[in-house]
């Protein structure tokens, strides 16, 4: 299984970010073709040393790397990416990788 | 379920890093108490725009945030952390968060 990990830095207004994320972004992103599972961090994202600079981490599961490429190219993926550019006021990092159990 | 995501920046020598990771670190880390599932990225970690600065991402699953705290405090967790300091020559970031399906 491949993963798209979306890491949102702390936004300017956390309450507005959360409202937009769960009420607007999630319904858009869940339409992305090939999406098998969607996880979102709940509560603070911390490091072993204390607070982190991230507010929310989303982990999207796909069958393989090709499915993620097709997802980004799809109209639904483009709509989700366009939405992210609007509300991710603190910045966002995205990482894509194939994943295996060890 | 809670997650410990360990993100290794590109090391000085990738082959030596991989050899140490899979032959030495993994057997140490898999002894951490409370570890439910252990995933490792396979192949390159990329971004939507191209290559990333990360070489490997490990995702460790625990029952909850308390289990991760106890894991870090355990002798096995401390051994794994000490080992990381030795081989993560490019640097490492760790993020801990509770996770839920949406």
């Amino acid at each position: 299984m491949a993963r798209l990990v979306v890491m949102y830095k702390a936004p300017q207004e956390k309450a507005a970010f959360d409202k937009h994320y769960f009420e607007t972004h999630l319904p858009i992103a869940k339409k992305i073709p090939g999406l098998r599972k969607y996880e979102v961090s709940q509560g603070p994202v911390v490091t072993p040393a204390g607070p982190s600079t991230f507010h929310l981490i989303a982990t999207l599961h796909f069958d393989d790397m090709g499915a993620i490429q097709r997802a980004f190219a799809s109209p639904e993926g483009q709509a989700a990416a366009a939405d992210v550019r609007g509300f991710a006021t603190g910045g966002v990092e995205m990482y894509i990788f194939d994943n295996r159990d060890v």
Side-chain angles (χ1 to χ4, degrees), chain A residues 16-47:
Chain A
F17 176 98
D18 289 348
K19 182 176 167 63
H20 186 94
Y21 191 86
F22 290 101
E23 293 181 9
T24 302
H25 184 67
L26 205 52
I28 294 172
K30 290 191 81 168
K31 289 183 188 149
I32 294 173
L35 178 63
R36 298 293 182 211
K37 185 180 168 79
Y38 193 145
E39 298 168 301
V40 172
S41 62
Q42 188 166 27
V45 176
V46 302
T47 77

PDB file of all heavy atoms in Angstrom, chain A residues 16-47:
ATOM      1  N   ALA A  16     -10.757  28.190  12.742  1.00  0.00           N
ATOM      2  CA  ALA A  16     -11.245  28.347  11.369  1.00  0.00           C
ATOM      3  C   ALA A  16     -10.678  27.240  10.469  1.00  0.00           C
ATOM      4  O   ALA A  16     -11.374  26.714   9.597  1.00  0.00           O
ATOM      5  CB  ALA A  16     -10.843  29.725  10.829  1.00  0.00           C
ATOM      6  N   PHE A  17      -9.419  26.891  10.713  1.00  0.00           N
ATOM      7  CA  PHE A  17      -8.798  25.800   9.953  1.00  0.00           C
ATOM      8  C   PHE A  17      -9.570  24.496  10.181  1.00  0.00           C
ATOM      9  O   PHE A  17      -9.933  23.800   9.232  1.00  0.00           O
ATOM     10  CB  PHE A  17      -7.343  25.635  10.400  1.00  0.00           C
ATOM     11  CG  PHE A  17      -6.628  24.478   9.742  1.00  0.00           C
ATOM     12  CD1 PHE A  17      -5.795  24.687   8.644  1.00  0.00           C
ATOM     13  CD2 PHE A  17      -6.779  23.181  10.211  1.00  0.00           C
ATOM     14  CE1 PHE A  17      -5.140  23.626   8.037  1.00  0.00           C
ATOM     15  CE2 PHE A  17      -6.131  22.111   9.616  1.00  0.00           C
ATOM     16  CZ  PHE A  17      -5.312  22.338   8.525  1.00  0.00           C
ATOM     17  N   ASP A  18      -9.807  24.182  11.435  1.00  0.00           N
ATOM     18  CA  ASP A  18     -10.478  22.916  11.741  1.00  0.00           C
ATOM     19  C   ASP A  18     -11.877  22.871  11.139  1.00  0.00           C
ATOM     20  O   ASP A  18     -12.303  21.843  10.607  1.00  0.00           O
ATOM     21  CB  ASP A  18     -10.558  22.707  13.255  1.00  0.00           C
ATOM     22  CG  ASP A  18      -9.197  22.390  13.855  1.00  0.00           C
ATOM     23  OD1 ASP A  18      -8.250  22.108  13.095  1.00  0.00           O
ATOM     24  OD2 ASP A  18      -9.076  22.444  15.093  1.00  0.00           O
ATOM     25  N   LYS A  19     -12.584  23.977  11.258  1.00  0.00           N
ATOM     26  CA  LYS A  19     -13.949  24.031  10.699  1.00  0.00           C
ATOM     27  C   LYS A  19     -13.895  23.780   9.191  1.00  0.00           C
ATOM     28  O   LYS A  19     -14.642  22.973   8.659  1.00  0.00           O
ATOM     29  CB  LYS A  19     -14.571  25.403  11.005  1.00  0.00           C
ATOM     30  CG  LYS A  19     -16.017  25.567  10.516  1.00  0.00           C
ATOM     31  CD  LYS A  19     -16.574  26.930  10.965  1.00  0.00           C
ATOM     32  CE  LYS A  19     -17.882  27.274  10.252  1.00  0.00           C
ATOM     33  NZ  LYS A  19     -18.975  26.340  10.528  1.00  0.00           N
ATOM     34  N   HIS A  20     -12.974  24.463   8.520  1.00  0.00           N
ATOM     35  CA  HIS A  20     -12.867  24.272   7.072  1.00  0.00           C
ATOM     36  C   HIS A  20     -12.432  22.841   6.750  1.00  0.00           C
ATOM     37  O   HIS A  20     -12.963  22.210   5.834  1.00  0.00           O
ATOM     38  CB  HIS A  20     -11.898  25.275   6.445  1.00  0.00           C
ATOM     39  CG  HIS A  20     -11.888  25.183   4.941  1.00  0.00           C
ATOM     40  ND1 HIS A  20     -12.670  25.963   4.138  1.00  0.00           N
ATOM     41  CD2 HIS A  20     -11.236  24.332   4.104  1.00  0.00           C
ATOM     42  CE1 HIS A  20     -12.493  25.619   2.873  1.00  0.00           C
ATOM     43  NE2 HIS A  20     -11.615  24.627   2.824  1.00  0.00           N
ATOM     44  N   TYR A  21     -11.462  22.352   7.510  1.00  0.00           N
ATOM     45  CA  TYR A  21     -10.939  21.012   7.204  1.00  0.00           C
ATOM     46  C   TYR A  21     -12.043  19.958   7.277  1.00  0.00           C
ATOM     47  O   TYR A  21     -12.210  19.156   6.349  1.00  0.00           O
ATOM     48  CB  TYR A  21      -9.794  20.627   8.154  1.00  0.00           C
ATOM     49  CG  TYR A  21      -9.094  19.387   7.659  1.00  0.00           C
ATOM     50  CD1 TYR A  21      -8.064  19.478   6.728  1.00  0.00           C
ATOM     51  CD2 TYR A  21      -9.518  18.119   8.042  1.00  0.00           C
ATOM     52  CE1 TYR A  21      -7.465  18.354   6.209  1.00  0.00           C
ATOM     53  CE2 TYR A  21      -8.921  16.982   7.530  1.00  0.00           C
ATOM     54  CZ  TYR A  21      -7.894  17.105   6.622  1.00  0.00           C
ATOM     55  OH  TYR A  21      -7.319  15.979   6.093  1.00  0.00           O
ATOM     56  N   PHE A  22     -12.768  19.947   8.372  1.00  0.00           N
ATOM     57  CA  PHE A  22     -13.728  18.861   8.573  1.00  0.00           C
ATOM     58  C   PHE A  22     -15.051  19.072   7.835  1.00  0.00           C
ATOM     59  O   PHE A  22     -15.676  18.110   7.409  1.00  0.00           O
ATOM     60  CB  PHE A  22     -13.944  18.625  10.076  1.00  0.00           C
ATOM     61  CG  PHE A  22     -12.723  18.021  10.717  1.00  0.00           C
ATOM     62  CD1 PHE A  22     -11.839  18.795  11.443  1.00  0.00           C
ATOM     63  CD2 PHE A  22     -12.419  16.682  10.540  1.00  0.00           C
ATOM     64  CE1 PHE A  22     -10.686  18.250  12.001  1.00  0.00           C
ATOM     65  CE2 PHE A  22     -11.266  16.126  11.083  1.00  0.00           C
ATOM     66  CZ  PHE A  22     -10.399  16.909  11.818  1.00  0.00           C
ATOM     67  N   GLU A  23     -15.450  20.332   7.676  1.00  0.00           N
ATOM     68  CA  GLU A  23     -16.754  20.577   7.039  1.00  0.00           C
ATOM     69  C   GLU A  23     -16.660  20.719   5.529  1.00  0.00           C
ATOM     70  O   GLU A  23     -17.606  20.399   4.816  1.00  0.00           O
ATOM     71  CB  GLU A  23     -17.402  21.828   7.642  1.00  0.00           C
ATOM     72  CG  GLU A  23     -17.787  21.631   9.106  1.00  0.00           C
ATOM     73  CD  GLU A  23     -18.455  22.864   9.722  1.00  0.00           C
ATOM     74  OE1 GLU A  23     -18.775  23.821   8.989  1.00  0.00           O
ATOM     75  OE2 GLU A  23     -18.629  22.851  10.957  1.00  0.00           O
ATOM     76  N   THR A  24     -15.528  21.203   5.034  1.00  0.00           N
ATOM     77  CA  THR A  24     -15.418  21.488   3.595  1.00  0.00           C
ATOM     78  C   THR A  24     -14.378  20.601   2.913  1.00  0.00           C
ATOM     79  O   THR A  24     -14.657  19.966   1.897  1.00  0.00           O
ATOM     80  CB  THR A  24     -15.050  22.973   3.380  1.00  0.00           C
ATOM     81  OG1 THR A  24     -16.046  23.781   4.000  1.00  0.00           O
ATOM     82  CG2 THR A  24     -14.969  23.293   1.893  1.00  0.00           C
ATOM     83  N   HIS A  25     -13.156  20.546   3.484  1.00  0.00           N
ATOM     84  CA  HIS A  25     -12.097  19.828   2.780  1.00  0.00           C
ATOM     85  C   HIS A  25     -12.330  18.321   2.768  1.00  0.00           C
ATOM     86  O   HIS A  25     -12.148  17.659   1.738  1.00  0.00           O
ATOM     87  CB  HIS A  25     -10.732  20.131   3.390  1.00  0.00           C
ATOM     88  CG  HIS A  25      -9.617  19.481   2.636  1.00  0.00           C
ATOM     89  ND1 HIS A  25      -9.287  19.846   1.350  1.00  0.00           N
ATOM     90  CD2 HIS A  25      -8.795  18.463   2.962  1.00  0.00           C
ATOM     91  CE1 HIS A  25      -8.293  19.076   0.922  1.00  0.00           C
ATOM     92  NE2 HIS A  25      -7.975  18.232   1.878  1.00  0.00           N
ATOM     93  N   LEU A  26     -12.719  17.785   3.899  1.00  0.00           N
ATOM     94  CA  LEU A  26     -12.872  16.333   4.006  1.00  0.00           C
ATOM     95  C   LEU A  26     -13.874  15.788   2.984  1.00  0.00           C
ATOM     96  O   LEU A  26     -13.569  14.805   2.290  1.00  0.00           O
ATOM     97  CB  LEU A  26     -13.283  15.992   5.443  1.00  0.00           C
ATOM     98  CG  LEU A  26     -12.963  14.622   5.992  1.00  0.00           C
ATOM     99  CD1 LEU A  26     -11.503  14.266   5.816  1.00  0.00           C
ATOM    100  CD2 LEU A  26     -13.337  14.572   7.471  1.00  0.00           C
ATOM    101  N   PRO A  27     -15.054  16.402   2.842  1.00  0.00           N
ATOM    102  CA  PRO A  27     -15.984  15.888   1.826  1.00  0.00           C
ATOM    103  C   PRO A  27     -15.405  15.953   0.406  1.00  0.00           C
ATOM    104  O   PRO A  27     -15.696  15.089  -0.414  1.00  0.00           O
ATOM    105  CB  PRO A  27     -17.210  16.801   1.965  1.00  0.00           C
ATOM    106  CG  PRO A  27     -17.133  17.337   3.365  1.00  0.00           C
ATOM    107  CD  PRO A  27     -15.670  17.466   3.667  1.00  0.00           C
ATOM    108  N   ILE A  28     -14.587  16.977   0.126  1.00  0.00           N
ATOM    109  CA  ILE A  28     -13.958  17.081  -1.203  1.00  0.00           C
ATOM    110  C   ILE A  28     -12.908  15.980  -1.358  1.00  0.00           C
ATOM    111  O   ILE A  28     -12.882  15.250  -2.350  1.00  0.00           O
ATOM    112  CB  ILE A  28     -13.296  18.471  -1.384  1.00  0.00           C
ATOM    113  CG1 ILE A  28     -14.359  19.572  -1.400  1.00  0.00           C
ATOM    114  CG2 ILE A  28     -12.449  18.512  -2.660  1.00  0.00           C
ATOM    115  CD1 ILE A  28     -13.772  20.989  -1.382  1.00  0.00           C
ATOM    116  N   ALA A  29     -12.049  15.839  -0.340  1.00  0.00           N
ATOM    117  CA  ALA A  29     -10.923  14.908  -0.455  1.00  0.00           C
ATOM    118  C   ALA A  29     -11.380  13.450  -0.468  1.00  0.00           C
ATOM    119  O   ALA A  29     -10.749  12.600  -1.096  1.00  0.00           O
ATOM    120  CB  ALA A  29      -9.940  15.147   0.688  1.00  0.00           C
ATOM    121  N   LYS A  30     -12.489  13.170   0.216  1.00  0.00           N
ATOM    122  CA  LYS A  30     -12.950  11.780   0.262  1.00  0.00           C
ATOM    123  C   LYS A  30     -13.485  11.291  -1.079  1.00  0.00           C
ATOM    124  O   LYS A  30     -13.678  10.095  -1.269  1.00  0.00           O
ATOM    125  CB  LYS A  30     -14.004  11.605   1.357  1.00  0.00           C
ATOM    126  CG  LYS A  30     -13.370  11.731   2.754  1.00  0.00           C
ATOM    127  CD  LYS A  30     -14.291  11.313   3.854  1.00  0.00           C
ATOM    128  CE  LYS A  30     -14.307   9.802   4.005  1.00  0.00           C
ATOM    129  NZ  LYS A  30     -14.971   9.385   5.255  1.00  0.00           N
ATOM    130  N   LYS A  31     -13.680  12.213  -2.010  1.00  0.00           N
ATOM    131  CA  LYS A  31     -14.136  11.827  -3.361  1.00  0.00           C
ATOM    132  C   LYS A  31     -12.977  11.427  -4.265  1.00  0.00           C
ATOM    133  O   LYS A  31     -13.190  11.013  -5.410  1.00  0.00           O
ATOM    134  CB  LYS A  31     -14.891  12.994  -4.007  1.00  0.00           C
ATOM    135  CG  LYS A  31     -16.246  13.260  -3.378  1.00  0.00           C
ATOM    136  CD  LYS A  31     -16.960  14.392  -4.115  1.00  0.00           C
ATOM    137  CE  LYS A  31     -18.232  14.788  -3.379  1.00  0.00           C
ATOM    138  NZ  LYS A  31     -18.533  16.219  -3.549  1.00  0.00           N
ATOM    139  N   ILE A  32     -11.737  11.576  -3.801  1.00  0.00           N
ATOM    140  CA  ILE A  32     -10.574  11.281  -4.639  1.00  0.00           C
ATOM    141  C   ILE A  32     -10.594   9.801  -5.040  1.00  0.00           C
ATOM    142  O   ILE A  32     -10.700   8.925  -4.179  1.00  0.00           O
ATOM    143  CB  ILE A  32      -9.263  11.625  -3.897  1.00  0.00           C
ATOM    144  CG1 ILE A  32      -9.172  13.139  -3.668  1.00  0.00           C
ATOM    145  CG2 ILE A  32      -8.042  11.128  -4.677  1.00  0.00           C
ATOM    146  CD1 ILE A  32      -8.002  13.564  -2.792  1.00  0.00           C
ATOM    147  N   PRO A  33     -10.509   9.527  -6.327  1.00  0.00           N
ATOM    148  CA  PRO A  33     -10.582   8.122  -6.770  1.00  0.00           C
ATOM    149  C   PRO A  33      -9.372   7.323  -6.294  1.00  0.00           C
ATOM    150  O   PRO A  33      -8.249   7.829  -6.286  1.00  0.00           O
ATOM    151  CB  PRO A  33     -10.599   8.234  -8.300  1.00  0.00           C
ATOM    152  CG  PRO A  33     -10.083   9.590  -8.621  1.00  0.00           C
ATOM    153  CD  PRO A  33     -10.413  10.469  -7.453  1.00  0.00           C
ATOM    154  N   GLY A  34      -9.629   6.083  -5.881  1.00  0.00           N
ATOM    155  CA  GLY A  34      -8.543   5.204  -5.452  1.00  0.00           C
ATOM    156  C   GLY A  34      -8.221   5.299  -3.977  1.00  0.00           C
ATOM    157  O   GLY A  34      -7.398   4.526  -3.477  1.00  0.00           O
ATOM    158  N   LEU A  35      -8.857   6.223  -3.273  1.00  0.00           N
ATOM    159  CA  LEU A  35      -8.601   6.394  -1.830  1.00  0.00           C
ATOM    160  C   LEU A  35      -9.180   5.200  -1.071  1.00  0.00           C
ATOM    161  O   LEU A  35     -10.364   4.902  -1.180  1.00  0.00           O
ATOM    162  CB  LEU A  35      -9.251   7.695  -1.362  1.00  0.00           C
ATOM    163  CG  LEU A  35      -9.152   8.044   0.123  1.00  0.00           C
ATOM    164  CD1 LEU A  35      -7.694   8.243   0.535  1.00  0.00           C
ATOM    165  CD2 LEU A  35      -9.952   9.319   0.412  1.00  0.00           C
ATOM    166  N   ARG A  36      -8.312   4.498  -0.324  1.00  0.00           N
ATOM    167  CA  ARG A  36      -8.750   3.284   0.381  1.00  0.00           C
ATOM    168  C   ARG A  36      -9.021   3.511   1.854  1.00  0.00           C
ATOM    169  O   ARG A  36      -9.791   2.792   2.474  1.00  0.00           O
ATOM    170  CB  ARG A  36      -7.681   2.192   0.256  1.00  0.00           C
ATOM    171  CG  ARG A  36      -7.405   1.758  -1.157  1.00  0.00           C
ATOM    172  CD  ARG A  36      -8.584   1.047  -1.761  1.00  0.00           C
ATOM    173  NE  ARG A  36      -8.297   0.591  -3.116  1.00  0.00           N
ATOM    174  CZ  ARG A  36      -9.214   0.498  -4.073  1.00  0.00           C
ATOM    175  NH1 ARG A  36     -10.474   0.832  -3.836  1.00  0.00           N
ATOM    176  NH2 ARG A  36      -8.877   0.068  -5.272  1.00  0.00           N
ATOM    177  N   LYS A  37      -8.342   4.487   2.410  1.00  0.00           N
ATOM    178  CA  LYS A  37      -8.479   4.735   3.851  1.00  0.00           C
ATOM    179  C   LYS A  37      -7.965   6.137   4.099  1.00  0.00           C
ATOM    180  O   LYS A  37      -7.031   6.590   3.422  1.00  0.00           O
ATOM    181  CB  LYS A  37      -7.641   3.711   4.619  1.00  0.00           C
ATOM    182  CG  LYS A  37      -7.751   3.722   6.139  1.00  0.00           C
ATOM    183  CD  LYS A  37      -6.830   2.611   6.694  1.00  0.00           C
ATOM    184  CE  LYS A  37      -6.634   2.704   8.189  1.00  0.00           C
ATOM    185  NZ  LYS A  37      -7.750   2.169   8.956  1.00  0.00           N
ATOM    186  N   TYR A  38      -8.577   6.835   5.057  1.00  0.00           N
ATOM    187  CA  TYR A  38      -8.240   8.239   5.306  1.00  0.00           C
ATOM    188  C   TYR A  38      -8.168   8.397   6.823  1.00  0.00           C
ATOM    189  O   TYR A  38      -9.150   8.171   7.520  1.00  0.00           O
ATOM    190  CB  TYR A  38      -9.344   9.107   4.713  1.00  0.00           C
ATOM    191  CG  TYR A  38      -9.097  10.587   4.561  1.00  0.00           C
ATOM    192  CD1 TYR A  38      -9.624  11.272   3.475  1.00  0.00           C
ATOM    193  CD2 TYR A  38      -8.393  11.319   5.495  1.00  0.00           C
ATOM    194  CE1 TYR A  38      -9.452  12.641   3.305  1.00  0.00           C
ATOM    195  CE2 TYR A  38      -8.201  12.680   5.336  1.00  0.00           C
ATOM    196  CZ  TYR A  38      -8.746  13.337   4.239  1.00  0.00           C
ATOM    197  OH  TYR A  38      -8.565  14.694   4.086  1.00  0.00           O
ATOM    198  N   GLU A  39      -7.008   8.769   7.309  1.00  0.00           N
ATOM    199  CA  GLU A  39      -6.822   8.967   8.749  1.00  0.00           C
ATOM    200  C   GLU A  39      -6.403  10.407   9.013  1.00  0.00           C
ATOM    201  O   GLU A  39      -5.678  11.003   8.218  1.00  0.00           O
ATOM    202  CB  GLU A  39      -5.714   8.048   9.277  1.00  0.00           C
ATOM    203  CG  GLU A  39      -5.996   6.576   9.122  1.00  0.00           C
ATOM    204  CD  GLU A  39      -4.745   5.745   9.402  1.00  0.00           C
ATOM    205  OE1 GLU A  39      -3.734   5.941   8.703  1.00  0.00           O
ATOM    206  OE2 GLU A  39      -4.792   4.927  10.316  1.00  0.00           O
ATOM    207  N   VAL A  40      -6.843  10.921  10.144  1.00  0.00           N
ATOM    208  CA  VAL A  40      -6.508  12.292  10.528  1.00  0.00           C
ATOM    209  C   VAL A  40      -6.052  12.285  11.983  1.00  0.00           C
ATOM    210  O   VAL A  40      -6.635  11.588  12.819  1.00  0.00           O
ATOM    211  CB  VAL A  40      -7.728  13.220  10.337  1.00  0.00           C
ATOM    212  CG1 VAL A  40      -7.459  14.602  10.922  1.00  0.00           C
ATOM    213  CG2 VAL A  40      -8.086  13.347   8.868  1.00  0.00           C
ATOM    214  N   SER A  41      -5.022  13.062  12.279  1.00  0.00           N
ATOM    215  CA  SER A  41      -4.568  13.161  13.667  1.00  0.00           C
ATOM    216  C   SER A  41      -5.644  13.834  14.507  1.00  0.00           C
ATOM    217  O   SER A  41      -6.418  14.671  14.031  1.00  0.00           O
ATOM    218  CB  SER A  41      -3.255  13.951  13.746  1.00  0.00           C
ATOM    219  OG  SER A  41      -3.437  15.272  13.286  1.00  0.00           O
ATOM    220  N   GLN A  42      -5.670  13.422  15.762  1.00  0.00           N
ATOM    221  CA  GLN A  42      -6.683  13.921  16.690  1.00  0.00           C
ATOM    222  C   GLN A  42      -5.938  14.464  17.898  1.00  0.00           C
ATOM    223  O   GLN A  42      -5.175  13.720  18.534  1.00  0.00           O
ATOM    224  CB  GLN A  42      -7.575  12.737  17.090  1.00  0.00           C
ATOM    225  CG  GLN A  42      -8.781  13.095  17.901  1.00  0.00           C
ATOM    226  CD  GLN A  42      -9.775  11.945  17.956  1.00  0.00           C
ATOM    227  OE1 GLN A  42      -9.408  10.783  17.847  1.00  0.00           O
ATOM    228  NE2 GLN A  42     -11.035  12.268  18.133  1.00  0.00           N
ATOM    229  N   GLY A  43      -6.136  15.736  18.197  1.00  0.00           N
ATOM    230  CA  GLY A  43      -5.383  16.350  19.290  1.00  0.00           C
ATOM    231  C   GLY A  43      -4.027  16.800  18.795  1.00  0.00           C
ATOM    232  O   GLY A  43      -3.763  16.807  17.592  1.00  0.00           O
ATOM    233  N   PRO A  44      -3.153  17.207  19.714  1.00  0.00           N
ATOM    234  CA  PRO A  44      -1.876  17.789  19.313  1.00  0.00           C
ATOM    235  C   PRO A  44      -0.926  16.798  18.643  1.00  0.00           C
ATOM    236  O   PRO A  44      -0.922  15.610  18.961  1.00  0.00           O
ATOM    237  CB  PRO A  44      -1.271  18.291  20.629  1.00  0.00           C
ATOM    238  CG  PRO A  44      -1.987  17.559  21.695  1.00  0.00           C
ATOM    239  CD  PRO A  44      -3.344  17.206  21.172  1.00  0.00           C
ATOM    240  N   VAL A  45      -0.140  17.300  17.706  1.00  0.00           N
ATOM    241  CA  VAL A  45       0.973  16.559  17.112  1.00  0.00           C
ATOM    242  C   VAL A  45       2.216  16.987  17.883  1.00  0.00           C
ATOM    243  O   VAL A  45       2.581  18.164  17.850  1.00  0.00           O
ATOM    244  CB  VAL A  45       1.132  16.902  15.618  1.00  0.00           C
ATOM    245  CG1 VAL A  45       2.350  16.191  15.035  1.00  0.00           C
ATOM    246  CG2 VAL A  45      -0.135  16.558  14.844  1.00  0.00           C
ATOM    247  N   VAL A  46       2.840  16.056  18.579  1.00  0.00           N
ATOM    248  CA  VAL A  46       3.985  16.422  19.420  1.00  0.00           C
ATOM    249  C   VAL A  46       5.244  15.692  18.949  1.00  0.00           C
ATOM    250  O   VAL A  46       5.188  14.817  18.070  1.00  0.00           O
ATOM    251  CB  VAL A  46       3.714  16.107  20.909  1.00  0.00           C
ATOM    252  CG1 VAL A  46       2.467  16.857  21.393  1.00  0.00           C
ATOM    253  CG2 VAL A  46       3.582  14.614  21.157  1.00  0.00           C
ATOM    254  N   THR A  47       6.371  16.076  19.517  1.00  0.00           N
ATOM    255  CA  THR A  47       7.631  15.372  19.300  1.00  0.00           C
ATOM    256  C   THR A  47       8.067  14.784  20.648  1.00  0.00           C
ATOM    257  O   THR A  47       7.490  15.139  21.688  1.00  0.00           O
ATOM    258  CB  THR A  47       8.733  16.330  18.793  1.00  0.00           C
ATOM    259  OG1 THR A  47       9.207  17.089  19.906  1.00  0.00           O
ATOM    260  CG2 THR A  47       8.209  17.266  17.715  1.00  0.00           C
TER     261      THR A  47
END
